[in-house]
């Protein structure tokens, strides 16, 4: 077949009908009038003039409107760098729903049938001999150009951008990790430009690699208190659609986070999501939104009030919620739309001012009907509720203590002014069923203070006032914190604590 | 910081066992050459690997105590000829966002007025900086000690150190008292028992093997710790290594380089 179908725009943007087009590409030199086009029943002999191998021919419904939209809008086709391919006007009508386009040249034929699954203003494009799909192009169509879904020679794709999970502190550097992949057909390289808002431009990062190679880059940034956003741009390369990325995160804690979700309600219960405001106040700036991770639907929350409550419950049906959970003191809000929780996405995101400030991926509830999935304490861990009622909407979660795989200890402040009455706070996280002890040694190895001896512990906080076991203030200096875990396995964590004046 | 000052002074007369003889009396030594964080271990014994060495030299040593990545310690120790003057500087620093540094400068003089007795004095100055949130802290202390030979094989020493004050305290520190007994039964092997502060006891032994190699071992109580040292001399240079165990915090290693002047 000398001429192949390459792209079809049937579902034009809005109510416009004059932008319909069919893109053809010549595999070999094509003689004038050698191919017959069937556009959903309307036939046209192509091309008006011979085509060279690799040349594009676009058959459009209205050449003037087509030039105005996809050209430079000069009124004349072929007078700009955007108008280098052949255009042939044809009075055709391509339906938004099911449709058909065919080509015949002697005994050879090519065809494409669609069933109306391309979004408004999005063309269908051919990415292999037998595969057509809605275009990946950000502008909805690529007439006279390489299809967006085809592999490009030079194409790097941003795969992932992240900062360490957990609480980030303003002023303390964190490592930004960037994963990019060479999605092109050739070995290539480029520059990553990273901008950290509101005011930092980070050094550019260079990359290079072979086709298919995944590269991890990283750089250090210093978070500002509150909302931080990071913009990243690769390239330039042959495909711009996968070159950009944004990351938003909070330092010093987000003002709100997901606390509990109810994806598999019992009969008579609605789905609901509980939000927690750690500071106990509703000091957030809308828009706040929930979105299913794989669903296009969003849930704008423009007006609501948590008052002095720490929790806010969002539900698919507030009336049903009131019947199922009488006596809930926390405010309950029924948004105008509700993304079904128990769908194929199995993920929920909380967005504040466009930044994804929290996300939970929950497992298939299975037989756990009526049991909520809840955050364990203030950690990043989640688990199924162990409450007798199956859930705790508007109240503390049933498991309010976080657990970790190993010992995690955060000392704050460090150094600390013991002589000024300041305490060193040891925030520790331990595995479930831990037996541990927490002791402090002087620099010369002497045991100075035992905060607690071997006993069963859960994650929590201990304090040191800078005194030895005999009550005498210890001298200024470096002390060794030893957190020793006996159960469920032996582990020792050492760190330094500085006593200052 | 006070403990650093105390410990530094305490080694004023702490001639190592292998040359507890007065001829080897050292003017001053920073006990923290290997490890300023654990000066008590050096109370009567300088780092084991150094015990047989009394010649004038410059010693540079460093360690990463307890394997804590953010913690560094080190020392520069300049020893003049016995009977004259010595100078020592030791330091500890912390990184990883909890900036901290402490610096100790000690200088001292020793002399031997009679064949059976030796005297010494030390002046110490320390400073601590723990970041801009805290005022810098300065300390000053004095120390003195005496060593007496009781017989051909026994000698007794005692010292009072750390008599001083700091910029944050109106009163004087309580001096730290210590005493030790050294028994030499040959020129190659020497055993020493010393009482340290905090009711600690120490037992040490040093063996010199040939002209270029020395081995040493120490036991210190509260907690019971074992130290093993090694010194290798090569021309004007010496290299020493120290392994020190701790029942709770684990063992670690310090290394040093000496240059004999």
């Amino acid at each position: 077949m000398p001429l192949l179908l390459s792209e079809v725009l049937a579902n034009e943007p809005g109510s416009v009908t004059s932008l319909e087009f069919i893109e053809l590409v010549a595999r070999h030199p094509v003689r004038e009038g050698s191919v017959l086009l069937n556009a959903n029943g309307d036939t046209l002999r192509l091309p008006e003039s011979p085509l060279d191998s690799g040349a594009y021919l676009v058959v459009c419904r209205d050449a003037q409107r087509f030039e105005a939209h996809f050209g430079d809008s000069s009124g004349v086709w072929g007078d700009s760098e955007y108008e280098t391919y052949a255009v042939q006007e044809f009075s055709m009508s391509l339906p938004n729903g099911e449709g058909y386009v065919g080509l015949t040249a002697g005994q050879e034929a090519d065809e494409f049938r669609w069933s109306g699954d391309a979004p408004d203003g999005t063309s269908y494009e051919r990415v292999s001999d037998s595969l057509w799909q809605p275009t990946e192009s950000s502008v909805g169509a690529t007439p006279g150009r390489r299809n967006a879904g085809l592999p490009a020679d030079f194409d790097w794709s941003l795969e992932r951008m992240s900062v360490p999970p957990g609480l980030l502190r303003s002023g303390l550097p964190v490592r930004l990790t960037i994963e990019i992949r060479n999605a092109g057909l050739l070995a290539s390289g480029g520059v990553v430009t990273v901008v950290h808002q509101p005011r930092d431009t980070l050094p550019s990062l260079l990359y290079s690699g072979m086709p298919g190679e995944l590269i991890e880059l990283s750089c250090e940034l210093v978070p500002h208190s509150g909302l931080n956003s990071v913009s990243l741009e690769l390239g330039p390369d042959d495909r711009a659609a996968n070159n950009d990325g944004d990351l938003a995160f909070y330092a010093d804690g987000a003002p709100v986070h997901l606390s509990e979700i109810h994806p598999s309600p019992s009969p008579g219960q609605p789905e609901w999501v509980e939000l927690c405001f750690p500071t106990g106040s509703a000091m957030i700036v809308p828009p706040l939104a929930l979105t299913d991770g794989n669903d296009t639907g969003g849930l704008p929350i423009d007006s609501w009030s948590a008052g002095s409550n720490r929790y806010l419950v969002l539900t698919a049906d507030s009336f049903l919620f009131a019947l199922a959970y009488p006596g809930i003191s926390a405010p309950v809000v029924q948004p105008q739309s509700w993304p079904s929780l128990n769908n194929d996405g199995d993920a929920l995101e909380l967005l504040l001012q466009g930044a994804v400030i929290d996300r939970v991926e929950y497992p298939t509830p299975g037989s756990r009907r009526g049991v909520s999935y809840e955050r364990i304490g203030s950690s990043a861990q989640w688990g199924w509720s162990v409450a007798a009622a199956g859930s705790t909407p508007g109240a503390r979660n049933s498991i309010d203590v976080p657990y970790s795989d190993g010992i995690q200890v955060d000392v704050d402040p460090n150094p600390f002014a013991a002589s000024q009455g300041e305490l060193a706070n040891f925030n520790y996280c331990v595995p479930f069923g831990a037996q541990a002890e927490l002791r402090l040694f002087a620099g010369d190895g002497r045991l100075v203070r035992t905060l607690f001896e071997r006993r069963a512990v859960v994650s929590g906080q201990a304090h040191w006032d800078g005194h030895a076991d005999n009550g005498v203030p210890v001298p200024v200096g470096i002390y060794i914190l030893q957190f020793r875990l006996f159960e469920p396995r032996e582990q020792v964590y050492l760190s330094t604590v500085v006593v200052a004046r | 910081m006070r403990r650093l000052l105390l410990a530094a002074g305490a080694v004023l007369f702490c001639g190592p066992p292998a040359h507890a003889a007065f001829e080897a009396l050292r003017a001053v030594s920073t006990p923290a050459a290997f490890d300023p964080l654990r000066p008590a271990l050096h109370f009567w014994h300088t780092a084991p690997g150094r015990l047989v060495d009394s010649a004038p030299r410059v010693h540079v040593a460093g360690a990463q105590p307890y394997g804590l990545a953010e913690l560094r310690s080190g020392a520069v120790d300049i020893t003049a000829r016995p009977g004259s003057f010595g100078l020592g500087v030791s330091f500890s620093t912390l990184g990883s966002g909890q900036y901290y540094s402490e610096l100790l400068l000690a200088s001292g003089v020793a002399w031997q007025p009679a064949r059976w007795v030796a005297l010494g004095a030390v002046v110490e100055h320390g400073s601590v900086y723990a970041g801009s949130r805290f005022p810098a802290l300065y300390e000053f202390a004095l120390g003195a000690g005496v060593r007496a030979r009781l017989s051909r094989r026994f000698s007794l020493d005692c010292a009072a150190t750390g008599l001083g004050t700091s910029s944050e305290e109106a009163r004087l520190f309580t001096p730290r008292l210590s005493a030790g007994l050294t028994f030499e039964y040959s020129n190659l092997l020497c055993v020493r028992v010393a009482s340290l502060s905090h009711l600690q006891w120490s037992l040490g032994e040093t063996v010199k093997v040939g002209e270029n190699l020395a081995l040493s071992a120490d036991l210190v109580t509260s907690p019971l710790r074992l130290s093993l040292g090694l010194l290798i001399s090569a021309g004007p240079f010496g290299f020493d290594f120290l392994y020190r165990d701790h029942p709770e915090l684990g063992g670690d290693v310090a290394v040093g380089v000496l240059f004999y002047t």
Side-chain angles (χ1 to χ4, degrees):
Chain A
M1 187 70 189
L3 203 58
L4 282 181
L5 295 164
S6 177
E7 186 177 4
V8 174
L9 177 62
N11 189 358
E12 300 154 288
S15 59
V16 177
T17 58
S18 55
L19 287 179
E20 293 176 354
F21 72 80
I22 301 168
E23 180 192 71
L24 311 163
V25 60
R27 299 174 67 188
H28 313 293
V30 184
R31 287 184 295 104
E32 179 182 340
S34 60
V35 177
L36 183 66
L37 169 70
N38 183 337
N40 209 48
D42 300 319
T43 58
L44 173 68
R45 190 152 288 279
L46 298 171
E48 289 178 328
S49 54
L51 292 175
D52 294 332
S53 176
Y56 287 99
L57 168 63
V58 173
V59 178
C60 62
R61 177 168 175 166
D62 184 330
Q64 188 174 356
R65 298 291 299 273
F66 183 88
E67 193 271 344
H69 190 84
F70 293 109
D72 65 350
S73 195
S74 66
V76 179
W77 184 258
D79 62 347
S80 81
E81 59 181 316
Y82 307 109
E83 302 170 356
T84 57
Y85 51 95
V87 171
Q88 188 170 340
E89 189 176 73
F90 177 44
S91 179
M92 60 185 177
S93 179
L94 304 178
N96 292 350
E98 295 183 2
Y100 163 80
V101 175
L103 287 180
T104 54
Q107 300 300 315
E108 297 179 300
D110 188 21
E111 68 170 12
F112 169 56
R113 295 178 185 274
W114 66 92
S115 56
D117 53 347
D120 195 46
T122 300
S123 69
Y124 296 98
E125 64 177 21
R126 188 173 215 156
V127 294
S128 69
D129 284 347
S130 57
L131 180 62
W132 287 71
Q133 65 184 25
T135 184
E136 298 175 357
S137 169
S138 58
V139 295
T142 58
R145 292 183 287 127
R146 173 194 287 270
N147 288 346
L150 288 174
D153 288 343
F154 303 104
D155 178 25
W156 282 83
S157 170
L158 173 62
E159 301 288 316
R160 197 171 70 88
M161 180 165 49
S162 64
V163 292
L167 180 63
L168 303 178
R169 299 277 190 188
S170 58
L172 292 182
V174 298
R175 187 148 293 277
L176 172 69
T177 303
I178 303 160
E179 289 183 8
I180 60 175
R181 184 185 298 278
N182 185 348
L185 301 174
L186 301 176
S188 61
V191 178
V192 180
T193 304
V194 184
V195 177
H196 173 216
Q197 299 290 356
R199 57 179 178 273
D200 298 338
T201 298
L202 304 178
S204 297
L205 304 172
L206 301 178
Y207 60 87
S208 63
M210 303 300 290
E213 186 174 348
L214 182 69
I215 292 179
E216 182 176 298
L217 305 171
S218 66
C219 62
E220 203 171 66
L221 59 84
V222 181
H224 317 291
S225 187
L227 180 65
N228 289 248
S229 66
V230 177
S231 303
L232 181 148
E233 183 173 357
L234 302 177
D237 55 33
D238 288 345
R239 183 181 298 167
N242 55 6
N243 287 359
D244 301 333
D246 297 300
L247 173 70
F249 61 90
Y250 269 83
D252 302 330
V256 58
H257 61 248
L258 295 166
S259 176
E260 189 175 1
I261 63 176
H262 199 47
S264 181
S266 297
Q269 296 177 340
E271 289 185 345
W272 49 265
V273 173
E274 179 190 79
L275 305 182
C276 177
F277 300 84
T279 60
S281 61
M283 295 297 293
I284 65 169
V285 180
L288 180 69
L290 280 176
T291 180
D292 184 292
N294 286 353
D295 203 342
T296 54
L299 182 61
I301 305 169
D302 293 325
S303 61
W304 54 273
S305 172
S308 59
N309 281 284
R310 187 176 174 177
Y311 301 101
L312 171 70
V313 178
L314 307 168
T315 180
D317 188 330
S318 58
F319 179 74
L320 202 57
F321 185 91
L323 292 178
Y325 305 100
I328 300 296
S329 60
V332 178
V333 174
Q334 179 181 337
Q336 291 181 345
S337 62
W338 184 263
S340 175
L341 300 182
N342 192 19
N343 59 15
D344 57 353
D346 291 335
L348 195 68
E349 291 179 344
L350 180 65
L351 293 85
L352 180 57
Q353 297 173 274
V356 178
I357 58 173
D358 201 4
R359 173 184 170 88
V360 56
E361 294 186 17
Y362 51 96
T364 303
S367 60
R368 294 186 183 86
R369 294 187 68 82
V371 179
S372 68
Y373 197 58
E374 65 175 24
R375 183 184 293 276
I376 300 175
S378 57
S379 73
Q381 287 183 297
W382 287 67
W384 295 104
S385 174
V386 296
S391 61
T392 56
R396 285 179 58 159
N397 291 346
S398 64
I399 306 173
D400 204 28
V401 178
Y403 296 102
S404 63
D405 291 335
I407 304 170
Q408 300 170 9
V409 183
D410 174 51
V411 184
D412 184 44
N414 190 14
F416 75 106
S419 64
Q420 308 298 318
E422 198 169 50
L423 298 175
N425 301 307
F426 305 122
N427 302 297
Y428 52 88
C429 196
V430 294
F432 184 79
Q435 286 200 7
E437 67 181 13
L438 178 53
R439 299 189 293 179
L440 291 147
F441 292 83
D444 61 5
R446 288 178 296 108
L447 177 62
V448 170
R449 181 74 180 268
T450 301
L451 291 179
F452 56 81
E453 289 185 295
R454 177 174 179 168
R455 62 175 169 81
V457 295
V458 296
S459 299
Q461 191 177 60
H463 312 282
W464 185 34
D465 57 4
H467 288 69
D469 278 328
N470 60 8
V472 177
V474 300
V476 169
I478 301 171
Y479 292 83
I480 311 301
L481 159 73
Q482 184 204 51
F483 197 107
R484 185 167 197 166
L485 186 67
F486 298 95
E487 298 287 346
R489 59 186 173 277
E490 285 276 348
Q491 188 181 354
V492 176
Y493 176 89
L494 294 180
S495 185
T496 51
V497 184
V498 174
V499 176
R501 285 289 177 233
Chain B
M1 172 53 75
R2 190 190 310 179
R3 56 190 164 71
L4 290 179
L5 298 173
L6 291 168
V11 297
L12 178 63
F13 293 103
C14 302
H19 45 85
F22 292 170
E23 297 77 26
L25 186 68
R26 290 174 57 184
V28 68
S29 169
T30 52
F34 283 108
D35 182 358
L37 290 174
R38 287 166 284 183
L41 289 176
H42 301 284
F43 194 84
W44 289 109
H45 307 278
T46 51
R50 303 164 54 199
L51 295 187
V52 294
D53 173 29
S54 65
R57 78 296 180 76
V58 177
H59 184 198
V60 179
Q64 186 183 48
Y66 309 113
L68 288 163
E70 70 271 27
L71 180 57
R72 298 283 187 277
S73 64
V76 178
D77 178 13
I78 302 170
T79 304
R81 288 203 174 278
S84 60
F85 181 75
L87 183 69
V89 178
S90 65
F91 65 92
S92 293
T93 61
L94 270 180
S96 299
Q98 43 172 323
Y99 182 77
Y100 178 90
S101 67
E102 59 183 35
L103 182 70
L104 170 66
L105 175 66
S107 59
V109 62
W111 69 99
Q112 193 172 347
R115 187 170 181 277
W116 53 274
V117 66
L119 305 173
V122 67
V123 178
E124 302 150 333
H125 174 75
S127 62
V128 173
Y129 182 69
S132 57
R133 195 162 74 93
F134 305 96
L137 177 65
Y138 301 100
E139 296 187 344
F140 176 80
L142 301 172
V146 60
R147 167 172 286 173
R149 182 177 291 281
L150 304 178
S151 69
R152 193 173 70 85
R153 294 192 180 278
F154 286 95
S155 63
L156 183 66
D157 52 55
C158 60
T161 55
L163 179 61
T165 187
S166 78
S167 59
E168 293 295 314
E169 295 192 37
R171 59 183 176 79
L172 291 176
F173 298 152
T174 303
R176 176 171 170 166
L177 304 175
S178 54
L181 179 66
T182 301
F183 171 60
E184 295 176 77
Y185 49 86
S186 78
N187 284 333
L188 299 180
L189 190 58
C190 181
V191 176
R192 178 178 180 79
V193 178
S195 169
L196 308 179
S197 67
H198 307 291
L199 299 178
Q200 284 181 311
W201 292 86
S202 169
L203 174 64
E205 176 182 285
T206 299
V207 179
K208 188 173 181 181
V209 183
E211 289 301 314
N212 299 322
L213 179 64
L215 304 173
S216 180
D218 288 303
L219 271 178
V220 178
T221 63
S222 303
L224 185 63
R225 307 184 63 180
L226 172 66
S227 299
L228 300 173
L230 168 70
L231 169 67
I232 300 172
S233 299
F237 295 100
F239 305 93
D240 57 355
F241 308 89
L242 174 69
Y243 171 78
R244 179 167 299 134
D245 184 40
H246 190 289
E248 299 291 340
L249 302 175
D252 54 18
V253 174
V255 297
V257 178
L258 298 90
F259 176 69
Y260 299 96
T261 58

